[in-house]
Amino acid sequence: MWKILFGLFWYIISTQANPILGLFDPKCKIEYEDACPHRDVDFWLFTRDIRENPLKLNASDLHASDFAFKERNLYILLHGYTGDRDYSPNVYVRPALLDTEDAYIISVDYGRLVPYPCYMTAVENLPLVAKCLGQLINNLVAEELVENDKIHIIGFSLGAQVAGQTANYLKKKLKRITGLDPAKPLFAFASSEYKLDSSDAEFVDVIHTDVVGRGMLASLGHVDFYPNLGTIQPGCDNENPKDPGSCNHDRAPQYYAESVRNPNGFWSYSCRSWLYQMFDLCNDRKKVQRMVFEILAYGSANNREVLWCEFAPDECPQKNIEFWFYRNDSSSSPFLLNPLSLNDSVNLFRPRLPLKIILHGYNQNRDLSPNREIRPPLLYHEQVYVISLDYSVYTKRPCYYPWTVYSASIIAKCLAYFIDDLIARDYFARNDIHLIGFSFGAQVAGLTANYVKEKLNRITALDPARPGFMTTNLSEKLDPTDADFIDVIHSDPMFFSYLNPSGHADFYPNLEDFHQPGCPIWPFLRVCNHYRAPAYYAESIYSTEGFWSYNCGNWSYYLTHQCYLYDDIAMEQMGYHLALSARGSYFLNTNREPPYAQGQLIQTELNTVDGA
């Protein structure tokens, strides 16, 4: 646990928005001269005609010829810390607006007031920027160059907080302000006059993309959007592995710019708060709203349909749930089974062998996790048949909530009907069939138990998904009643999966560190821990060392070093060769890299470690 806390601390102090940086740097100065116009606050006017040669405005000497078309909208873009007129959000949003609309755009440049590493003084200088921007807007409206209701401020990071402070200087409230991941350092506990809030305009919409680091977690506007929970933005761990938080932060203006161009929109569902979402308490997930640029009227979704995320129709079989059949002698040439004509497949299932059914996770398919880890060693080392399901149409990013979760029971039902048919035709016996599911697929395996005619023999759950399945209703998630034997590997019990047991035998590799060796300790890179479950299971198929584990009652006994109370219980091998008689919670350590298995444990060492 201390490693995680240290990682969070190091992340906070190493970020560019760390207020401690530059505290004693002589170039970090507060600007006390607050008269507007100010030499360090520039306003650059862009239109389609002068997008490459913008016009520098003087707020005290505006010209009607520069704003000849009063019907046009005016967008005012405010950059973040260490930025300028060509920094985010300008680099993304300004081209998108000019490409799609004949509008006026003013990019405010106050880069000299917010240089690196002067975050603390940058925050102190923001009221000056807001005051000068307020003067410009008041003059534009007073001289009837722009209509007040056609002005829309779009601010990123510190710029979003400038937008909120600008409201303090305006004679008339603006129609709309958009905050793109408003800056958090030094604003989390600030009063409303110093930060963006819903009172600053008639409509305030906010996108949160880095709530763990640079951005605000709290809801600030009339509508607040949290793409990907506002934490880990897909792809950022690869784009900027040294500082993925910076990438997460910058995703907000990127998403907004895409929303300008994208006619489909970023559709989202309503939930009471971010915390309700974390604990899966969002009840009405079909109340959808389009995120960002062309947002619908607040509080109304007008019954619009989501355009690329799909709910699985309640029918079986269906074309989007596929069953791919693999044999030892044709592992590279799978056969797509038709559930309506299994009579034609009878020769495929001879001779009779055990059947392994593999269920993939979110944003995966039949050739991705856990198939890519587990299917090759199964077909190489074991005499088995393998069926890999593919329901990727319903599990594609970013459609997890509510579409993927709502589709889980339909996928499970179609799988159950398929299994019942295989047994009824005597292609397989009940005891021949073993379901192996990863993440979302592990929950599908559990839900399948609600529909099969005969109880399942064995389910292996690899880090079963927690988001969307935090419920006390056992029929809505994986639980020990779903099969004669369920073994579970918990490789990320703190985020993507559960800490509490879900099966008859639950394994917790490397629990004491709360992360898997070789994986980053940063909270936003926990996906590595999640994917270790299928990696460990795949290695267990052929490992000569074995993932030997010891029983410790439950995870709380393990963390309090009381495993000596259970040292009379036999050790077990986590994974494929686990004895079906195993019961309870088991613990083990692994290596940082393959081979992960450390082999047989020595009981006397175990007792010494646990203080017996």
Side-chain angles (χ1 to χ4, degrees):
M1 177 61 78
W2 70 268
K3 293 181 181 178
I4 293 177
L5 296 176
F6 176 77
L8 281 170
F9 172 75
W10 182 254
Y11 169 75
I12 290 169
I13 67 170
S14 62
T15 177
Q16 281 195 349
N18 173 17
I20 299 174
L21 290 176
L23 192 59
F24 303 105
D25 194 310
K27 72 170 175 281
C28 299
K29 299 179 180 179
I30 299 174
E31 180 57 64
Y32 291 104
E33 181 185 335
D34 63 351
C36 295
H38 193 279
R39 63 183 179 277
D40 290 330
V41 183
D42 297 328
F43 302 101
W44 294 91
L45 176 65
F46 293 79
T47 67
R48 285 181 170 177
D49 295 332
I50 54 172
R51 64 191 301 167
E52 302 300 332
N53 296 289
L55 175 67
K56 187 175 182 180
L57 299 175
N58 183 340
S60 298
D61 186 22
L62 298 170
H63 302 285
S65 59
D66 297 328
F67 298 91
F69 304 96
K70 288 185 61 177
E71 70 277 6
R72 289 184 182 178
N73 291 320
L74 169 61
Y75 299 97
I76 299 175
L77 305 184
L78 298 167
H79 62 74
Y81 175 49
T82 74
D84 54 43
R85 73 174 195 186
D86 293 321
Y87 187 82
S88 224
N90 294 278
V91 67
Y92 306 115
V93 178
R94 190 171 66 219
L97 287 170
L98 290 175
D99 288 346
T100 56
E101 182 180 351
D102 201 1
Y104 295 116
I105 298 175
I106 294 177
S107 291
V108 187
D109 192 330
Y110 44 95
R112 294 184 294 275
L113 297 175
V114 292
Y116 179 82
C118 311
Y119 187 83
M120 184 172 288
T121 56
V123 171
E124 292 293 331
N125 288 331
L126 296 189
L128 170 60
V129 182
K131 180 180 179 180
C132 293
L133 177 56
Q135 179 195 53
L136 173 69
I137 293 174
N138 289 334
N139 290 347
L140 286 169
V141 174
E143 297 176 28
E144 298 185 349
L145 301 180
V146 178
E147 294 181 21
N148 191 79
D149 286 353
K150 291 186 177 295
I151 299 174
H152 177 184
I153 297 181
I154 304 169
F156 166 56
S157 191
L158 280 185
Q161 304 296 5
V162 172
Q165 293 181 23
T166 301
N168 301 330
Y169 301 96
L170 296 178
K171 294 179 179 179
K172 185 177 180 180
K173 182 175 284 191
L174 292 178
K175 197 76 171 178
R176 183 177 178 186
I177 291 175
T178 295
L180 305 177
D181 212 32
K184 176 170 59 182
L186 301 183
F187 292 97
F189 303 104
S191 60
S192 60
E193 65 180 301
Y194 293 108
K195 66 182 179 183
L196 180 67
D197 69 26
S198 58
S199 68
D200 292 331
E202 292 184 23
F203 183 70
V204 177
D205 57 307
V206 183
I207 303 175
H208 305 260
T209 54
D210 187 31
V211 301
V212 174
R214 294 162 170 81
M216 296 284 281
L217 170 61
S219 299
L220 303 175
H222 299 96
V223 178
D224 287 71
F225 295 92
Y226 295 85
N228 307 296
L229 269 179
T231 53
I232 308 167
Q233 302 308 315
C236 281
D237 51 343
N238 295 323
E239 289 181 27
N240 192 350
K242 292 186 178 179
D243 185 14
S246 175
C247 174
N248 294 327
H249 196 42
D250 207 38
R251 278 287 197 264
Q254 292 177 43
Y255 292 157
Y256 194 85
E258 183 176 329
S259 78
V260 175
R261 291 189 167 100
N262 186 352
N264 293 331
F266 289 84
W267 288 91
S268 316
Y269 63 88
S270 174
C271 189
R272 183 173 177 179
S273 72
W274 182 89
L275 196 60
Y276 270 61
Q277 170 63 54
M278 278 295 294
F279 288 97
D280 194 34
L281 298 175
C282 305
N283 295 320
D284 184 12
R285 290 181 178 146
K286 293 189 177 181
K287 183 179 180 181
V288 296
Q289 176 65 281
R290 188 159 56 180
M291 182 177 78
V292 292
F293 185 59
E294 292 185 0
I295 196 166
L296 302 175
Y298 177 58
S300 170
N302 296 342
N303 297 317
R304 296 287 294 274
E305 290 295 326
V306 178
L307 298 181
W308 67 74
C309 297
E310 299 183 40
F311 290 100
D314 192 0
E315 59 185 41
C316 295
Q318 55 174 283
K319 65 178 182 178
N320 290 330
I321 301 177
E322 299 175 340
F323 301 84
W324 290 89
F325 182 74
Y326 296 79
R327 297 170 55 105
N328 299 97
D329 56 3
S330 59
S331 60
S332 60
S333 302
F335 183 80
L336 179 60
L337 298 174
N338 183 352
L340 294 177
S341 58
L342 286 179
N343 276 334
D344 301 336
S345 307
V346 60
N347 292 329
L348 288 174
F349 306 124
R350 294 295 179 263
R352 177 175 285 184
L353 295 173
L355 173 63
K356 310 296 179 180
I357 299 178
I358 302 180
L359 303 166
H360 66 75
Y362 171 59
N363 203 40
Q364 305 294 303
N365 58 41
R366 69 181 174 95
D367 291 323
L368 298 179
S369 288
N371 291 277
R372 65 183 171 192
E373 295 94 345
I374 295 173
R375 193 172 64 221
L378 271 177
L379 293 173
Y380 185 81
H381 293 279
E382 300 291 315
Q383 288 296 308
V384 295
Y385 297 129
V386 175
I387 291 178
S388 293
L389 265 70
D390 194 324
Y391 36 84
S392 53
V393 169
Y394 304 127
T395 61
K396 58 192 176 185
R397 184 179 287 151
C399 307
Y400 192 74
Y401 296 104
W403 302 273
T404 295
V405 172
Y406 272 52
S407 299
S409 60
I410 308 300
I411 299 168
K413 183 188 295 186
C414 293
L415 174 57
Y417 292 172
F418 181 76
I419 291 173
D420 287 343
D421 199 12
L422 291 175
I423 294 173
R425 296 175 184 275
D426 197 32
Y427 294 165
F428 298 95
R430 183 185 75 91
N431 291 344
D432 294 332
I433 300 174
H434 175 191
L435 274 58
I436 304 170
F438 166 55
S439 191
F440 171 78
Q443 298 292 358
V444 171
L447 297 179
T448 303
N450 298 333
Y451 305 102
V452 289
K453 294 179 180 178
E454 297 185 59
K455 192 171 186 177
L456 296 168
N457 178 50
R458 181 180 178 186
I459 293 174
T460 293
L462 306 175
D463 219 29
R466 177 174 63 175
F469 298 95
M470 292 288 290
T471 174
T472 57
N473 189 340
L474 297 184
S475 66
E476 296 179 355
K477 65 177 181 180
L478 176 76
D479 75 90
T481 67
D482 292 332
D484 291 342
F485 181 73
I486 298 177
D487 56 311
V488 184
I489 299 177
H490 303 261
S491 58
D492 186 32
M494 302 305 296
F495 193 87
F496 287 106
S497 189
Y498 297 99
L499 181 59
N500 288 330
S502 304
H504 298 96
D506 289 72
F507 291 83
Y508 297 86
N510 308 295
L511 180 64
E512 193 167 27
D513 290 333
F514 286 97
H515 81 282
Q516 301 304 314
C519 286
I521 64 172
W522 309 111
F524 37 77
L525 295 178
R526 295 203 65 86
V527 68
C528 171
N529 299 287
H530 195 43
Y531 281 81
R532 281 297 169 85
Y536 294 158
Y537 194 82
E539 185 179 316
S540 76
I541 296 170
Y542 57 84
S543 174
T544 57
E545 296 291 335
F547 290 87
W548 287 94
S549 316
Y550 56 93
N551 195 301
C552 194
N554 61 49
W555 59 266
S556 62
Y557 278 81
Y558 174 78
L559 293 177
T560 53
H561 297 281
Q562 300 183 65
C563 297
Y564 60 88
L565 299 173
Y566 298 89
D567 61 5
D568 59 333
I569 300 177
M571 299 182 198
E572 298 288 352
Q573 280 203 69
M574 179 183 79
Y576 187 76
H577 298 290
L578 173 64
L580 302 190
S581 58
R583 294 293 184 273
S585 297
Y586 293 83
F587 302 85
L588 69 154
N589 292 322
T590 68
N591 296 322
R592 294 176 55 86
E593 56 189 27
Y596 296 111
Q598 293 187 349
Q600 184 74 46
L601 300 172
I602 300 175
Q603 193 71 25
T604 55
E605 291 183 358
L606 171 64
N607 288 344
T608 301
V609 170
D610 290 326

